[in-house]
């Protein structure tokens, strides 16, 4: 059976994620209120502004149900703002899901003119380097024992992580033509 | 590692989609906007309604104010430069703003030329009234487009006119024959290669926000329903009686633009909107949307 994957559509580039999933022949659904979560096999939290998305998660009573799903083994993938929301600590007071045992530093590279593209080797992803787009990107600055590092920049900073059913990337696969990470997440929803 | 590519310039605008960008003139206002859920703030010297009321030459904001605003928030900080004033743009880039709005709201510095935006590291957003203007700006290097609307009026009619013009032409382009595209490009004064790529894709190559006259949550949702990727609110927030509450309601209406019951709930108890000026009562020389070439 093909999974149905939700894309959190409160703010950000959710349409780009939905288009990538469509390319893989996977059905997706925009999630804005709690009832949209029913019957999903996984959830993507897109890029955007983490403060905006966090506040809307709180106001529309999504924070608790998404947190409960993630804690019970439901696959969730956060890209950029989504990675921030998955963290337990980001150094500033803002609503978080706190599902992954990691500390994230927001805007770790500086301002927009410090945004960049680079090739990354991602552990367990066949097919060679992945072209990664970093936009006002965060980094993972600290991890717990259960968090597996999937990719680092040349300087050693962590930019992709996995903790069981949870996947986090500091960059934006949805802005490229490379659907391999979306494929990996779809596989995670099949196993779960 | 590559910086300042089209992908990262256009990409930041993609991250702002579905969000609200609010005009602010102080760090305190920026904080109110961020707390309400703004996806970014636009730093300027005076909001458009005050530029209208007080007249004089409207220029880029005081660098001191921009630095204070940058220090106050974690969301992207945009700032406006005058049309054609490439030195103001260089200053804003040096200050580290995340996006520059080459804006008709400020007094134009050049009556024939826009800034050549391709040479900058920082991305630009520009206003448009129709698809020709949008594609001319994209040709000059704009990485994001917005409607001009009629800023500082609180009257949404002009933003609606501009959004309908752009979206209508996009739909028409997808049905044209190849040989009709060249004539279309000539008629709208847009580069043919951009016209052809838009006709092929059925959409602009960059994000397109609504701006100019949005004053209520319903205005924001209307613009989203007409095809906007997100919304700029200028005077509409900080010229209303309760900016914090109105800002939050506009953010919620922009996210839930398809759900009238959520927008109705968000619209309750907001106090007075900005008083507003009907666009049709303005004299031709008072119109801001006609600035730009």
């Amino acid at each position: 059976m093909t999974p149905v994957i939700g894309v959190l559509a409160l703010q950000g580039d959710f349409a780009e994620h939905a288009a990538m999933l469509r390319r893989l022949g996977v059905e997706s659904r925009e999630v804005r209120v709690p009832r949209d979560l029913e019957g999903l096999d996984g959830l993507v939290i897109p890029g955007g502004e983490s403060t905006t998305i966090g506040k809307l998660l709180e106001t529309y009573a999504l924070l608790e149900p998404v947190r409960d799903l993630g804690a019970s083994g439901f696959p969730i993938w956060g890209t950029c703002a989504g990675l921030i929301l998955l963290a337990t600590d980001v150094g500033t007071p803002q609503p978080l899901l706190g599902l992954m045992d990691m500390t994230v530093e927001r805007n770790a590279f500086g301002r927009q003119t410090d945004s960049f593209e680079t090739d990354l080797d991602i552990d367990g992803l066949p097919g060679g380097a992945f072209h990664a787009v970093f936009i006002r990107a965060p980094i993972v600055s600290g991890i717990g024992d259960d968090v597996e590092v999937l990719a680092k920049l040349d300087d050693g900073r962590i930019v992709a992580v996995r903790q069981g059913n949870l996947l986090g990337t500091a960059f934006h696969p949805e802005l490229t033509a490379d659907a391999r990470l979306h494929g990996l997440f779809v596989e995670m929803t099949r196993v779960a | 590692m590559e910086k300042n590519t089209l992908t990262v310039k256009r990409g930041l605008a993609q991250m702002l989609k579905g969000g609200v960008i609010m005009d602010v003139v102080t760090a305190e206002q920026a904080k109110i906007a961020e707390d309400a859920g703004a996806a970014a703030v636009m730093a300027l010297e005076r909001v458009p309604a005050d530029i209208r009321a007080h007249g004089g030459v409207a220029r880029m904001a005081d660098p001191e104010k921009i630095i204070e605003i940058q220090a106050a928030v974690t969301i992207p900080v945009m700032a406006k430069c005058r049309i054609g004033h490439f030195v103001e743009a260089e200053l804003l880039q040096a200050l580290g703003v995340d996006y520059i709005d080459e804006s008709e709201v400020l007094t134009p510095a050049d009556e024939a030329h826009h800034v050549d935006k391709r040479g900058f590291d920082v991305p630009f957003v520009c206003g448009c009234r129709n698809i020709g203007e949008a594609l001319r700006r994209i040709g000059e290097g704009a990485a994001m487009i917005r409607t001009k609307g009629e800023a500082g009026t609180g009257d949404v009619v002009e933003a609606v006119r501009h959004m309908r013009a752009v979206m209508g032409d996009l739909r028409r382009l997808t049905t044209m024959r190849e040989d009709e595209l060249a004539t279309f490009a000539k008629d709208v004064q847009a580069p043919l290669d951009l016209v052809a790529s838009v006709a092929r894709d059925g959409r602009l190559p960059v994000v397109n926000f609504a701006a100019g006259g949005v004053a209520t949550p319903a205005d924001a949702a209307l613009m989203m329903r007409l095809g906007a990727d997100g919304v700029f609110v200028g005077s509409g927030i900080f010229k209303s009686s309760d900016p914090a509450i109105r800002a939050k309601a506009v953010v919620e209406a922009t996210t839930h633009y398809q759900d009238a019951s959520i927008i109705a709930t968000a619209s309750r108890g907001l106090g007075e909107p900005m008083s507003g000026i009907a666009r049709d009562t303005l004299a031709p020389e008072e119109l801001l949307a006609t600035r730009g070439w």
Side-chain angles (χ1 to χ4, degrees), chain A residues 10-13 16 32 48-49 51-52 55-56 60 106-107 111-114 116-117 135-136 172 175, chain B residues 1-2 4-5 7-8 14-17 34-35 37-39 70 74-76 96 98 252 255-256 262:
Chain A
L10 297 172
Q11 192 271 322
D13 69 337
E16 284 79 348
R32 290 188 176 82
E49 279 309 312
T51 51
T52 304
K55 283 171 209 301
L56 289 162
Y60 288 90
R106 292 183 57 201
N107 300 333
R111 300 198 170 275
Q112 168 60 13
T113 48
D114 301 303
F116 62 97
E117 303 178 45
I135 296 175
R136 285 174 43 92
H172 296 282
L175 294 187
Chain B
M1 185 189 286
E2 286 179 283
N4 311 313
T5 59
T7 301
V8 298
Q14 286 171 278
M15 297 313 138
L16 300 173
K17 289 202 303 185
E34 182 176 61
D35 288 343
Q70 287 171 322
T74 60
I75 56 178
D98 296 299
E252 293 177 21
T255 291
H256 297 285
I262 289 184

Side-chain angles (χ1 to χ4, degrees), chain A residues 66-133:
Chain A
V66 173
R67 190 179 287 147
D68 292 346
L69 280 169
S72 69
F74 175 84
I76 302 178
W77 174 20
T79 60
C80 194
L83 171 87
I84 294 167
L85 288 159
L86 287 171
T88 41
D89 180 8
V90 300
T92 49
Q94 65 181 79
L96 298 173
L97 292 164
L99 282 164
M100 292 181 79
D101 187 10
M102 62 180 176
T103 306
V104 166
E105 182 188 346
R106 292 183 57 201
N107 300 333
F109 300 90
R111 300 198 170 275
Q112 168 60 13
T113 48
D114 301 303
S115 295
F116 62 97
E117 303 178 45
T118 193
D119 287 330
L120 274 185
D121 287 317
I122 299 177
D123 253 14
L125 193 74
F130 192 94
H131 190 69
V133 180

Side-chain angles (χ1 to χ4, degrees), chain A residues 151-171:
Chain A
K152 289 180 181 177
L153 292 171
D154 290 342
D155 62 12
R157 289 193 279 183
I158 301 169
V159 292
V161 286
R162 180 168 176 178
Q163 180 183 329
N165 55 308
L166 307 167
L167 181 66
T169 53
F171 49 93

